[in-house]
Amino acid sequence: MQYRAPLWLPGGHLQTIWPALFSRRHRGPAPAYRRERWTTPDGDFVDVDFVDAADAAAPLLVLFHGLEGSSRGAYALAFADWARRAGWHYAVPHFRGCSGELNLAPRAYHSGDFEEVGWMLARLRERHGRPLYAVGISLGGNALLRWAEEAGDGAGATAVAVAAVSSPVDLTAGALAIGRGFNRLAYTPYFLRTMKPKALAKWAQHPGLFDRERVARARTLLEFDDAFTAPVHGFRDALDYWTRASAKPHLQRIRIPALVLNARNDPFIPARSLPAAHEVGRCVTLWQPPHGGHVGFASGPPPGHVLTLPEAVMGWLQAQR
């Protein structure tokens, strides 16, 4: 990806924060979603938002959102705009608890949730019966890559190609980075302001599921993952979760075309932790532009727009047909 940040938007922090809050994410009116509620194999539910194409035989683009994201996020709307203009079907499956309503089961979602991703993709492929492409943003990208790794040669029966954007494929490096310095002041409270109330509501649903007081005291993602995410999802502790859920150690196992895009000035993800060419398999393409921030990649004069990102990613995905 040949991305050059606008001169008026210097540095990884501004390139992360400004596009998420102010940059334009669609041409014309916002895409109108149609929502479906699916019952999961364990009796819970997930909500999936769709934008339907006029041509029933058009390809399907599936987007997996990031931590505490939804179909209303800037990047989700930007990819929806791309799909609408390209005449593709578009789907955004919400991870459990992220669609505006607390889920029912004694679990939530996490960065290595490849079984859930696989179930969602298989159901979409079975129902739509058309070429399927998938994009994962941040956490959703790591989970998508983990699915492709675990599926191996079987992934091609479900998806033509996948892309991960600004994904922390080394979760330990990313989680520790977000807990330091300016990151801890700016980004950690942003995530915890929704994660902690939802976790505490989950405890009210299922008393004793985890140590409620530890979650209430959590001030970093390390503390939160150690008290909630890890024990609720079967991991020993936060380090065990980050180690087992990270996509980076298994990138050589991917057997379908996969794009891994990370800006080297992403404040969440240290550049030194990004995968190198010798650490990935022949099916994996690495894009690591020097600028872009975390799911930023804004372009144009102020306030800018985030439409360059889906155009670049979808251009690559389409070339894999």
Side-chain angles (χ1 to χ4, degrees), residues 171-187:
L171 288 167
T172 302
L176 293 178
I178 205 171
R180 299 190 191 108
F182 179 80
N183 287 354
R184 180 167 179 169
L185 297 175
Y187 305 118

Side-chain angles (χ1 to χ4, degrees), residues 163-239:
V165 178
S166 299
S167 296
V169 294
D170 181 339
L171 288 167
T172 302
L176 293 178
I178 205 171
R180 299 190 191 108
F182 179 80
N183 287 354
R184 180 167 179 169
L185 297 175
Y187 305 118
T188 298
Y190 172 80
F191 289 120
L192 291 182
R193 69 183 175 88
T194 56
M195 293 167 66
K196 288 174 62 174
K198 288 199 294 188
L200 297 175
K202 182 61 61 181
W203 191 94
Q205 277 184 326
H206 303 278
L209 183 62
F210 53 87
D211 188 332
R212 185 185 187 281
E213 296 310 311
R214 286 187 64 204
V215 169
R217 293 194 305 267
R219 294 293 180 268
T220 66
L221 291 186
L222 166 60
E223 294 171 352
F224 182 86
D225 283 345
D226 207 49
F228 175 77
T229 313
V232 167
H233 299 101
F235 300 99
R236 184 179 64 252
D237 54 24
L239 183 58

Side-chain angles (χ1 to χ4, degrees), residues 9 51-52 57 78 90 93 102 129 138 140 142 151 179 211 261 267 304:
L9 198 61
V51 176
D52 300 313
Y90 181 63
L102 190 67
S138 194
N142 185 81
D211 188 332
L261 166 59

Side-chain angles (χ1 to χ4, degrees), residues 255-278:
R255 295 294 180 267
I256 60 173
L259 173 65
V260 181
L261 166 59
N262 296 92
R264 298 190 69 84
N265 71 343
D266 186 328
F268 297 2
I269 304 171
R272 65 180 181 279
S273 73
L274 296 178
H278 70 274

Side-chain angles (χ1 to χ4, degrees), residues 50-68:
F50 292 89
V51 176
D52 300 313
D55 180 3
L60 171 65
L61 169 61
V62 182
L63 183 133
F64 292 98
H65 62 76
L67 182 65
E68 294 299 275

